[in-house]
Amino acid sequence: MPEIAEVARIVHYLKKHLVGRTILSVRAEEDDLLFGKVGTSASAFKTAMTGKKVLDARQQGKYFWLIMESRPHPLMHLGMTGWIKFSTDDTSAYYKPKKEETDWPPRFSKFVLDLKGDPKCEVAFVDPRRLGRCRLIDVEANEMRKTSPLKENGPDPVIDKDIFTVKWLTALLRRKKVPVKALLLDQANISGIGNWVADETMYQAKLHPEQYSNTFSDEQIKRLHDAIVYVCGTAVDTLAESDKFPKDWLMRYRWDKGKKNGGKLPNGAKITFLTVGGRTSAVVPSVQKKTAAFAGDVSESAEEEGEGETEVKPKKSAKRKPKAKEDVEPVEAATAANRPKREWKQVDYEVKDESEEGEEETPAPKKQKTGITPKKATQKKAAPKKTNGVVEEILEQEPGEQAETKEAPAASKPKKSVGAASKKGKRTESEEDMSARRRSGRNVR
């Protein structure tokens, strides 16, 4: 992602090829992301730019803008993959472009400015991932940084050195408790610092990116301030050309991860990688020590380096322990796979002597405990009734089953049970009752 140094490179080439010239025409297609997301449109952009002279190009962190001879002024952000290209100069890229990237108009162009006069030149904004933004700011040129979104961003370490002081940085760090790298990446705190600049800064300051921002000593904050000014200033001065960076910079070796000789500095110090602030971070454990409370953990490869950092925060949350069996509801536990077999017990119904008690009904049988809370049936189980001295039994059924009854003929007396009945009139289950249970699918005990 283009950071403070890469944006400085673009501003350099805009001043070289665009500033002082008039825009003859504009080619732009409607893009709901590039223009629409920030309240502009391609047609409004064409109207604002056509026939206007460009007076200057300026920067604040990752934002840059053109000063036109009359307002509004276009303010741009490159997103992850945006860039500005020139038809007469392919050296504007900070890397060697591929052959297909030298074609004109370039692929993924969002708008193209055709400049008036000689030499003939066109300027294109390209963005493969469409994360860049271009808006029109309708204020005077000297009010640009006092307007959103620039006014919500922090000071630029290169152009705002009168604001970005050790005292200012100390106050910023002390009033927040976040991993220091996450603080540096937040543009609301400091403008222009991205992933690789933050890693280089932390390495040069010999501080660990996971350590909380409010735990650093005055001496450590001074080192951090000086490292930010040094890294940002050097990167801007070299226009983001890594070949011109100092040979002891981490930046020159951090991209070698996975290669044969990658993951090490020239002196043999190992480079490890961990995630801080949602970004992959390059760390040299032998140089960057944790000296106070911190968030996260060092990757496994860093621990193998033997730096004595044993506090580890698991990457994944621990699995939730299952509830104990006694805590599980019976219905929830009795699934089709593990439902225990029901135990059916013989139930004796006590029939009182009619001559003594008259027409009193036989009491309902007591419920048998099975350890399972059955679901509600569509029909309720009725209590056994006495009909002409004969027990009418309604068998228990599962939901959706029809109740089955076994009724003895009224004219004939019920057959004697297999077992002898008690003198008080207790009745055991007969063969006929057992047959009824077999037909209904019930277990017979």
Side-chain angles (χ1 to χ4, degrees):
M1 179 179 182
E3 303 178 30
I4 188 170
E6 289 82 4
V7 174
R9 184 180 185 89
I10 284 180
V11 171
H12 168 81
Y13 278 89
L14 286 172
K15 290 182 176 182
K16 180 179 179 180
H17 297 292
L18 182 57
V19 171
R21 301 187 65 172
T22 299
I23 298 174
L24 181 63
S25 63
V26 179
R27 302 194 303 273
E29 296 183 1
E30 292 296 346
D31 190 312
D32 293 338
L33 296 180
L34 178 69
F35 298 113
K37 276 282 187 179
V38 288
T40 313
S41 65
S43 57
F45 181 76
K46 290 179 184 178
T47 302
M49 302 295 287
T50 303
K52 297 283 188 68
K53 186 176 182 179
V54 182
L55 302 181
D56 199 3
R58 297 178 185 175
Q59 170 189 7
Q60 177 183 323
K62 297 181 182 182
Y63 281 96
F64 65 100
W65 63 97
L66 299 176
I67 298 298
M68 310 302 293
E69 62 181 342
S70 63
R71 63 189 198 183
H73 311 285
L75 174 69
M76 290 163 276
H77 190 288
L78 297 171
M80 291 291 292
T81 59
W83 200 252
I84 299 292
K85 293 188 175 183
F86 304 86
S87 61
T88 57
D89 190 350
D90 60 3
T91 64
S92 64
Y94 58 93
Y95 60 90
K96 186 177 181 180
K98 298 178 182 179
K99 183 177 180 181
E100 59 270 21
E101 293 179 337
T102 60
D103 297 336
W104 199 268
R107 191 182 179 190
F108 305 117
S109 297
K110 302 307 173 184
F111 64 77
V112 178
L113 308 178
D114 184 11
L115 305 183
K116 184 179 180 180
D118 294 324
K120 182 68 175 177
C121 181
E122 290 185 343
V123 181
F125 185 108
V126 298
D127 186 10
R129 295 184 61 180
R130 301 177 66 203
L131 296 174
R133 300 290 180 262
C134 178
R135 70 191 82 199
L136 296 172
I137 307 296
D138 193 11
V139 297
E140 296 298 330
N142 59 358
E143 298 292 321
M144 286 290 289
R145 296 192 65 185
K146 299 177 183 178
T147 308
S148 295
L150 295 179
K151 71 176 184 179
E152 283 82 25
N153 284 7
D156 184 306
V158 175
I159 64 176
D160 295 322
K161 291 182 180 179
D162 57 330
I163 299 174
F164 189 75
T165 62
V166 175
K167 182 179 180 180
W168 181 92
L169 182 61
T170 301
L172 173 67
L173 295 175
R174 296 277 166 82
R175 71 170 178 260
K176 296 177 180 290
K177 185 182 179 181
V178 295
V180 63
K181 182 177 177 180
L183 182 144
L184 296 179
L185 292 176
D186 188 347
Q187 300 301 294
N189 296 322
I190 305 172
S191 289
I193 297 180
N195 198 36
W196 80 260
V197 172
D199 283 354
E200 191 64 54
T201 295
M202 299 305 298
Y203 171 68
Q204 296 296 330
K206 300 181 181 180
L207 303 175
H208 198 282
E210 287 182 321
Q211 188 167 327
Y212 285 125
S213 58
N214 63 343
T215 62
F216 292 104
S217 66
D218 291 343
E219 187 272 335
Q220 289 175 318
I221 295 175
K222 176 66 166 56
R223 291 197 333 240
L224 178 60
H225 171 271
D226 293 348
I228 293 173
V229 173
Y230 164 64
V231 171
C232 291
T234 303
V236 167
D237 291 342
T238 57
L239 298 180
E241 292 185 23
S242 59
D243 291 342
K244 296 181 180 180
F245 291 166
K247 293 183 179 180
D248 64 341
W249 273 27
L250 176 66
M251 169 66 175
R252 297 174 67 97
Y253 312 100
R254 61 165 289 158
W255 309 113
D256 293 338
K257 180 182 178 182
K259 295 182 180 180
K260 185 176 180 180
N261 297 320
K264 290 184 180 181
L265 295 177
N267 61 7
K270 193 172 183 179
I271 302 173
T272 60
F273 295 87
L274 58 151
T275 301
V276 184
R279 304 296 300 276
T280 299
S281 305
V283 180
V284 181
S286 60
V287 175
Q288 298 169 259
K289 306 283 188 177
K290 294 175 182 175
T291 60
F294 62 92
D297 67 306
V298 178
S299 62
E300 293 181 1
S301 57
E303 292 176 3
E304 293 172 359
E305 196 72 14
E307 298 305 324
E309 296 165 352
T310 57
E311 183 175 346
V312 175
K313 180 180 178 181
K315 293 182 179 178
K316 294 184 179 179
S317 58
K319 292 184 179 179
R320 186 178 180 181
K321 293 182 179 180
K323 293 182 178 180
K325 290 184 178 179
E326 58 269 17
D327 296 333
V328 181
E329 292 294 331
V331 174
E332 181 182 346
T335 60
N338 63 6
R339 184 187 296 275
K341 293 183 179 179
R342 296 189 180 191
E343 295 184 2
W344 296 91
K345 296 182 179 180
Q346 179 175 313
V347 179
D348 291 337
Y349 300 100
E350 185 178 65
V351 181
K352 294 184 179 181
D353 191 350
E354 292 184 34
S355 61
E356 296 178 2
E357 303 296 336
E359 295 297 325
E360 187 174 337
E361 291 185 354
T362 304
K366 295 181 179 181
K367 294 182 180 180
Q368 302 299 313
K369 295 182 179 180
T370 62
I372 299 175
T373 302
K375 298 179 180 178
K376 291 184 178 180
T378 54
Q379 298 181 2
K380 293 183 178 180
K381 180 179 178 182
K385 296 181 180 179
K386 186 189 75 173
T387 306
N388 296 327
V390 179
V391 175
E392 181 184 82
E393 182 182 5
I394 299 179
L395 299 178
E396 182 186 11
Q397 69 276 357
E398 294 289 343
E401 294 182 349
Q402 297 295 326
E404 295 186 14
T405 62
K406 177 60 185 175
E407 182 178 354
S412 61
K413 295 181 180 180
K415 292 183 179 181
K416 293 183 179 180
S417 60
V418 178
S422 65
K423 292 181 180 181
K424 291 185 178 181
K426 286 187 178 180
R427 177 178 176 277
T428 59
E429 194 172 44
S430 66
E431 292 180 351
E432 195 167 347
D433 294 333
M434 295 171 66
S435 297
R437 286 190 179 278
R438 291 191 185 96
R439 287 195 298 274
S440 64
R442 301 300 177 188
N443 294 332
V444 180
R445 294 186 62 82

